[in-house]
Amino acid sequence: MPFRRARSIFQRFAQSEASGGLVLMVSAALGMIVANSVFAADYDHILHTKVGGLSILHWINDGLMAVFFLLVGLEIKREMLVGELNSWPRRALPLIAAIGGMIAPALIFFAINYETPETWRGWAVPTATDIAFALGVLSLFGSRIPNSLKVFLTSLAIMDDLGAILIIAVFYASDLSMQALGVAALATAVLTVFNWFGVNRLFPYIAVGAALWAAMLFSGIHATLAGVVLAMTIPLGVAGMGRGGGGGHLGDIGGSPLYRLEHALALWVAFLIVPVFGFANAGVSLAGVTVDMLLAPLSLGIVLGLFVGKQLGIMAFVVASHRLGLVQLPAQASWREIYGVAILCGIGFTMSLFIGLLAFSDAEHIAMTKLAVLTGSLLSTFVGAAVLLWPQRRREVPVN
């Protein structure tokens, strides 16, 4: 059945993301270890070595992460069309939770940084959730956690990713080049024409997508968003919506350009691209780190935004929408388990680090941002896990 096929694909995605999250944890830890070892100078030198006019770190953050955003865009499109988010009742809960989970951290950040305008650009850092890291933690609990909660977390994180993409596009563009934007617009138009005429071969999309990335690299809009634009034009094809009168038949996944590309990218992103990003960007030197650094407005705003703001915003919006009868809560899940998942959404890691690198260019603010993201994410990891592992006298009564 179509729904079962879509759910199966969704579950495979969640499983690969969870496994990739565990690899990400290890790679981030290695980055921290190397940055605080005798190899620290070599680590920094290699990352800033120029290749083709860009540093290796730049290639990772602007090049490899464009592939990450391409996969994120494909996942969002698939889930919206034929997956767990293909109808309003299915989108309502994760969408409302994601909105709450982005508003509260931003408000907390601004409240703490009100008197330091130079740090205001970091307001979006604590609004993000790292889907791979969060699912990796949740996967450690195995069958103790209802599958509906894993679906909820994955859907919420996908909505969160969509919000982060919009924030990056709107708030972190600078020094716009009209000429480069014109080339990017032309490339986007060509991709749209490919989609309109039902081009199902992937090569034309990838070729024009590469040109789009190059144009956006010089446009002032972050180059990684080229991946999202490309993803939105990749057709779901015959396996998805039954183009040409085929109805809602899912058919053979091999006939869908979107499924083929997503399948080809999933393991590379989960087990290479995101871990490499984590290793390259989590390497914060702890030399000279003091409590005062974590109590500075920028650091404190990010830490409390991730750890307090995420859980507060998500739970407030979920409880309110449930009482108003707007949403259906995850099946077989207790309020304690939903709260535990809300805390895990404070694991910002990859997306938060990425936004932090867009927000600041000076070494001091970047170092404080990285330290704060790691601290807030670790707090959310351990406290969320503790809440989910809290002993139960009996099986708690599900909330619905």
Side-chain angles (χ1 to χ4, degrees), residues 49-56 58-59 213 217-218:
T49 299
K50 292 289 184 71
V51 177
L54 300 176
S55 69
I56 289 177
H58 202 162
W59 278 113
W213 176 84
L217 184 65
F218 299 101

Side-chain angles (χ1 to χ4, degrees), residues 183-392:
V183 174
L186 177 61
T188 302
V190 172
L191 290 169
T192 303
V193 169
F194 287 165
N195 181 284
W196 181 266
F197 283 98
V199 175
N200 281 326
R201 290 182 59 217
L202 283 172
F203 178 76
Y205 291 96
I206 301 301
V208 177
L212 173 64
W213 176 84
M216 292 187 75
L217 184 65
F218 299 101
S219 70
I221 297 176
H222 203 268
T224 52
L225 295 181
V228 180
V229 175
L230 174 59
M232 293 300 108
T233 63
I234 301 292
L236 192 60
V238 295
M241 303 304 292
R243 185 187 292 252
H249 177 56
L250 279 173
D252 179 14
I253 288 176
S256 166
L258 187 149
Y259 282 125
R260 292 202 313 271
L261 184 56
E262 184 180 356
H263 179 74
L265 293 177
L267 293 181
W268 289 102
V269 170
F271 296 106
L272 178 64
I273 291 175
V274 172
V276 166
F277 175 86
F279 178 78
N281 290 282
V284 181
S285 174
L286 298 179
V289 171
T290 63
V291 175
D292 289 341
M293 286 184 65
L294 281 175
L295 295 179
L298 174 59
S299 300
L300 194 61
I302 293 172
V303 172
L304 293 183
L306 286 171
F307 180 58
V308 177
K310 273 292 184 180
Q311 56 176 287
L312 180 64
I314 290 171
M315 289 306 295
F317 275 55
V318 167
V319 171
S321 59
H322 179 247
R323 289 186 175 177
L324 290 172
L326 300 177
V327 298
Q328 229 179 1
L329 298 179
Q332 302 303 312
S334 67
W335 278 114
R336 178 185 60 82
E337 290 169 329
I338 294 174
Y339 177 53
V341 167
I343 299 174
L344 290 184
C345 287
I347 303 174
F349 201 71
T350 306
M351 271 294 194
S352 291
L353 287 176
F354 187 81
I355 293 174
L357 294 171
L358 296 180
F360 303 109
S361 57
D362 61 292
E364 182 182 4
H365 281 141
I366 288 176
M368 292 176 70
T369 298
K370 288 182 177 182
L371 183 62
V373 168
L374 292 172
T375 302
S377 297
L378 287 174
L379 278 172
S380 299
T381 298
F382 292 122
V383 175
V387 169
L388 290 169
L389 287 172
W390 194 263
Q392 305 176 67

Side-chain angles (χ1 to χ4, degrees), residues 24-95:
L24 173 60
M25 295 178 205
V26 174
S27 65
L30 285 175
M32 283 288 290
I33 292 169
V34 172
N36 291 278
S37 71
V38 294
F39 301 106
D42 297 320
Y43 171 83
D44 188 67
H45 174 72
I46 291 172
L47 289 177
H48 290 88
T49 299
K50 292 289 184 71
V51 177
L54 300 176
S55 69
I56 289 177
L57 184 62
H58 202 162
W59 278 113
I60 292 171
N61 292 343
D62 283 40
L64 288 183
M65 288 301 285
V67 181
F68 166 79
F69 275 85
L70 170 58
L71 182 61
V72 168
L74 293 172
E75 291 162 356
I76 291 172
K77 182 172 181 176
R78 170 175 53 78
E79 292 304 326
M80 291 289 188
L81 293 179
V82 296
E84 296 288 342
L85 303 174
N86 68 341
S87 65
W88 169 247
R90 291 175 177 276
R91 295 171 190 159
L93 179 61
L95 175 61

